[in-house]
Structure formats: C-alpha cells, structure tokens
Amino acid sequence: MNQAASSAEYDVVVIGAGPVGENVADRVRAAGLSTAVVEAELVGGECSYWACMPSKALLRPVVARAEARRVPGLEAAVQGPLDADAVLANRDGFTSHWKDDGQVEWLESVGADVYRGQGRLTGEKRVSVTAPDGTVRTLTARHAVAVCTGSRAVVPDLPGVAGANPWTSREATSAKSVPGRLVVVGGGVVGVEMATVWQGLGARVTLLVRGGGLLPKMEPFAGELVAEALTEAGAHIRYGVSATALDRPAPDGPVTVELDDGDRIEADEILFATGRAPRTDDLGLETVGQEPGGWLTVDDSCRVEGSSWLYAVGDVNHRALLTHQGKYQARIAGAAIAARAQGAATLETGRWGAHAATADHAAVPQVVFTDPEAASVGLTLAEAERAGFRVRAVDYDLGSVSGASLYAAGYRGHARMIVDLDRETLLGVTFVGPGVGELIHSATVAVAGEVPLARLWHAVPSYPTISEVWLRLLETFRG
C-alpha cells in the first residue's frame, strides 16, 4: 500500500474495489501496467458482503430442506424448523464477518496499490482520494481511469419512509435475527429470493407486487412456478398493489404499511426491493463532461462514449446488472486498456473476442436461487418477437424427464427454448425447477456460440440426468 505521498502517478486508476474493479486491476496488472485501486467501503464490494455471497449462503439451507422433503425416505427426517442461528452464522462466515483483510491481501498480491477513501474525478485522468481521516491525495493516470462503483438499492420517496428505517437488499442479507413478520415490496429477483429466505427461516412473509406476476423479466411460467412454491411455503402474495406510506412510531416497534387499495398491513420489518441506481452521484463526473448520478454509456470495450481514457465497467454502465457480467466486462475492459496502452491503433476482436463485450447483448445468463430455481439466458419469447425475429417457442415439462423424477418425487418444472427459425439457432433458453441452475451454462454456450440445432442434436446428454431435457426439447422441435 502506497499512501504516504500526497500525489502519485499510475498507468491505470480504478475507482471501486468490488469484483469488477478487482478484475480490471488484475487484468491490467497482468499486462504490466501499474495500477491504483480506490475504495470507499469494503474491498470486495456489494457481492461479497451484501449480495451474492450472503444471499446464497442464506438461501442454500432453505432450498436444500425443501428439496430433501421431496426425496422418498428422507422427507420425514427434515420436517423440523431450520436452525436460524446456525444459518446466520454460516452467512457471517461467507462474508468474512464484514472484514476485507483477505480481499485487500489478494489485490496487493497482484501488485495493485490500494487507497482507502472516496475517489472523485477532478479532470482528465485525475482522481482525488479523500481518506477517512480527511487527508486528500491526487492520483494521475497515464492511460485510463475505470469507474467500477456499482449500484445501490432505490427506496421510493413515500410519506414516513425516512423514519421507518426500511430494509434494502443490504439489511435483508445482513440481518442478525429473523423478523416475526416481513413485508417485501417488489416481485423481482431480490424480492423473491429474500421472501424465500425469511419465510424459510420462520418469518411470516407478505409479498407486495405492483404488477400481475413475479420475475417480470423472465418467461411468465418462471414467476408462476416460483409464486406457487412460495405460497405453498406459507408466504402471502398480493398482486396489483403498491405501498403508499409507512408509519413506525417507535424505532424498535412495528411498521404499518398503507396500500393504494386502502388496506393497511403491520409488520416487524419492511424490505424495498424496487430497483437499483448507479453509484455515480459523488464521483466528480461533471469535471469530465458527464452527468452526476446517471448511468454511463459505453462501447463494447466499456470505454465511455466520447472519451479516449474513461471506462465504466459493471453496473454503472447499465448493460447487465449481474456480478458475473460485470466481471466479464472487467476482463474485456482490462484487455482493451492494455492493448491501447501498448499502442494498438485499433482493437481486433480476434478468435477470442478479447476486446468486445458482445455477450451483454445476446447471451446474458441469470439464476434466481429460489425454490424452484429459475435460470435463463438470452431472449424471452416476447423479447424475440419485439426484436423482429421469426421464432418458435419449444416447451417441455421438466417433470417428465427421467432424471428429474429421480431428483425429487413430484418434480415440478418447465423448460423453453426460443428458436430462430431462419438460422435454426437458439436465441434464448429458460429452465425452472429444482437444480436447474447447473443447467444454464450449457444453454449459455449454445446461445453465445450460435450452435446450429442440427449440431446440438449430437451433444448427447448423460442418462439419467435432468440435462436430458435438451434431447426432449430437440425432439419436440423436430416433431
């Protein structure tokens, strides 16, 4: 760590040390470029402490118990409640108890200098760092500055919200105890995952959904199957309603939620899972001709449009707000920065597509870790039709696959592939059912690789596994 001087010069300065910033730093350091990384909170970012890792640590025992209850000979042994204290303690272990020593050590091991404090742009290739003790240092980049500051949860500006201390995704994944009653506002990924967690740990969950279904960005059957399972687990889902006001008279007391249909609900906690906003409002973007607080528009190398040196990688560019896509972009951006620093006049994508984040457009995978899991990649049927493709949706009941019936008694699930009829390749695939998260990479390879269906026919699935659904989908398409 090199923080003694009041100013320093590097080849690359990275603002934000989450998984995205870490991967940019790793790539440019591997290319021999000196690198500084600036972080205002914990090195490791949202994913490590308040999102991917703690949420999946919380979800795993809930989902594992649900699946075990469907296995003949095992169901009677897993009827009791989960040990909530043990689940929360396991979660704490996966977050390293919200300490980032290991992450700092890793960054320093690749040769990056870590600066603690708020990083702000002050002009072309210049970043000021205000440390916790108020000390200000100036970092200058010879080649590039990469903004990797991620996104934050959005809480609607409702009457009473300030005094109600509502949960966002951060509080929902780091809570120290199980609330007796929890209201979840929002039916997207965060909403359904956190409803699954806390209902499974013993809370009485009410899910408020403004629209008519869960997981609106996926195929409709995904939200339907997840809603069915949540309801069976005891959650109460209300569609077509919105919260209009909150009231929490005492800091440790219950919160009353007023709804737009005139009803009122009392709960011990309320979680708003109502969208994300970029962490760009306090970055000095106005000093380099950009709008503070907004998303940054980039090209496929993640370089900000109109700039030769500023990059925006991960959530801040609004291309795909997923950790794995941000890390993918980081690898692309790091390679592009290194190539340009080494004098490449143009960036040839080559056989590996090293300098273009093309997957952000057509092959973004996602897994929702609920019971059942929902996993998708590429376009839904509605998206493909809106884009003007001539398509056919091919559906199959996952429960009819031999491997699925062995996986769990009464297995419920569904699979769909979207076929581009002109090229006979796949534009999108969606699986819903227990254990399908491990299937989605095969679909991602097929979509990203534009593999012809005639060739997929020769990719033989092992028997008896759930992946045999691929054969059934292809048979259904051929008729």
Side-chain angles (χ1 to χ4, degrees):
M1 201 174 295
N2 178 18
Q3 297 193 23
S6 60
S7 62
E9 187 175 56
Y10 294 87
D11 292 321
V12 180
V13 177
V14 179
I15 306 176
V20 174
E22 288 176 327
N23 273 267
V24 172
D26 185 37
R27 286 301 165 114
V28 296
R29 281 296 301 131
L33 302 181
S34 61
T35 307
V37 181
V38 182
E39 177 54 54
E41 292 188 289
L42 294 175
V43 173
E46 200 79 11
C47 178
S48 298
Y49 306 105
W50 301 287
C52 322
M53 297 307 292
S55 69
K56 303 317 168 281
L58 290 168
L59 281 158
R60 180 58 190 150
V62 173
V63 173
R65 180 183 61 172
E67 292 186 353
R69 286 175 171 175
R70 304 182 190 112
V71 178
L74 183 59
E75 70 272 28
V78 288
Q79 289 304 315
L82 289 167
D83 183 339
D85 289 341
V87 172
L88 296 177
N90 182 58
R91 181 271 321 269
D92 293 351
F94 274 97
T95 63
S96 300
H97 301 272
W98 291 274
K99 296 179 181 179
D100 62 2
D101 298 7
Q103 299 274 24
V104 173
E105 183 179 351
W106 180 84
L107 260 183
E108 292 178 338
S109 76
V110 303
D113 286 348
V114 179
Y115 288 80
R116 298 277 195 182
Q118 176 65 46
R120 296 180 182 86
L121 292 158
T122 58
E124 183 172 336
K125 300 181 183 178
R126 294 197 311 274
V127 177
S128 72
V129 183
T130 305
D133 64 2
T135 303
V136 178
R137 295 177 174 86
T138 299
L139 307 180
T140 302
R142 298 184 189 93
H143 299 294
V145 174
V147 175
C148 309
T149 49
S151 63
R152 58 177 173 80
V154 172
V155 176
D157 186 17
L158 302 177
V161 73
N165 297 318
W167 282 6
T168 67
S169 53
R170 283 197 170 195
E171 289 77 21
T173 56
S174 62
K176 299 302 183 184
S177 60
V178 180
R181 300 162 298 173
L182 173 66
V183 169
V184 179
V185 182
V189 175
V190 173
V192 297
E193 286 192 346
M194 290 300 98
T196 300
V197 165
W198 295 109
Q199 180 69 41
L201 290 177
R204 297 193 300 278
V205 172
T206 300
L207 193 57
L208 305 179
V209 185
R210 184 170 56 186
L214 304 182
L215 300 175
K217 294 185 179 181
M218 301 183 87
E219 296 283 8
F221 62 80
E224 291 165 5
L225 285 167
V226 171
E228 184 178 306
L230 273 171
T231 300
E232 289 179 359
H236 183 206
I237 305 174
R238 298 184 60 171
Y239 297 104
V241 295
S242 298
T244 58
L246 306 181
D247 182 36
R248 181 171 241 157
D252 297 325
V255 57
T256 299
V257 187
E258 296 183 14
L259 306 180
D260 57 0
D261 64 0
D263 201 1
R264 296 161 66 92
I265 302 173
E266 187 177 87
D268 298 291
E269 299 292 351
I270 180 170
L271 162 63
F272 282 100
T274 48
R276 310 286 297 179
R279 291 181 177 272
T280 59
D281 50 340
D282 191 22
L283 286 179
L285 288 174
E286 67 280 1
T287 68
V288 295
Q290 299 293 324
E291 187 70 27
W295 306 100
L296 293 167
T297 304
V298 300
D299 63 18
D300 278 348
S301 70
C302 295
R303 186 165 64 176
V304 174
E305 289 187 356
S307 174
S308 63
W309 58 274
L310 183 62
Y311 291 73
V313 194
D315 282 11
V316 290
N317 62 37
H318 207 230
R319 288 164 68 100
L321 276 65
L322 296 160
T323 296
H324 48 272
Q325 290 300 125
K327 292 166 70 173
Y328 160 72
Q329 293 174 16
R331 297 190 291 270
I332 299 293
I337 290 169
R340 287 170 174 140
Q342 292 161 2
T346 59
L347 297 183
E348 299 297 333
T349 59
R351 61 183 295 202
W352 286 98
H355 306 119
T358 55
D360 286 344
H361 304 300
V364 175
Q366 181 172 25
V367 180
V368 185
F369 293 87
T370 43
D371 171 41
E373 290 179 344
S376 67
V377 63
L379 302 179
T380 63
L381 174 61
E383 289 169 339
E385 290 176 338
R386 284 197 299 269
F389 290 100
R390 193 170 68 91
V391 296
R392 176 184 163 192
V394 181
D395 292 277
Y396 199 80
D397 175 14
L398 260 174
S400 299
V401 176
S402 297
S405 59
L406 286 167
Y407 190 94
Y411 187 105
R412 285 179 289 180
H414 194 83
R416 169 176 286 181
M417 65 181 190
I418 307 301
V419 179
D420 181 338
L421 293 174
D422 294 321
R423 297 184 302 155
E424 287 206 354
T425 58
L426 296 181
L427 294 173
V429 179
T430 300
F431 299 123
V432 183
V436 299
E438 297 301 335
L439 286 181
I440 202 61
H441 190 61
S442 58
T444 303
V445 171
V447 173
E450 300 178 350
V451 181
L453 296 192
R455 190 62 192 156
L456 278 180
W457 186 255
H458 297 280
V460 183
S462 298
Y463 180 85
T465 65
I466 302 175
S467 62
E468 195 183 6
V469 70
W470 278 109
L471 176 58
R472 303 298 169 230
L473 286 167
L474 291 168
E475 288 175 336
T476 302
F477 176 70
R478 291 180 64 174

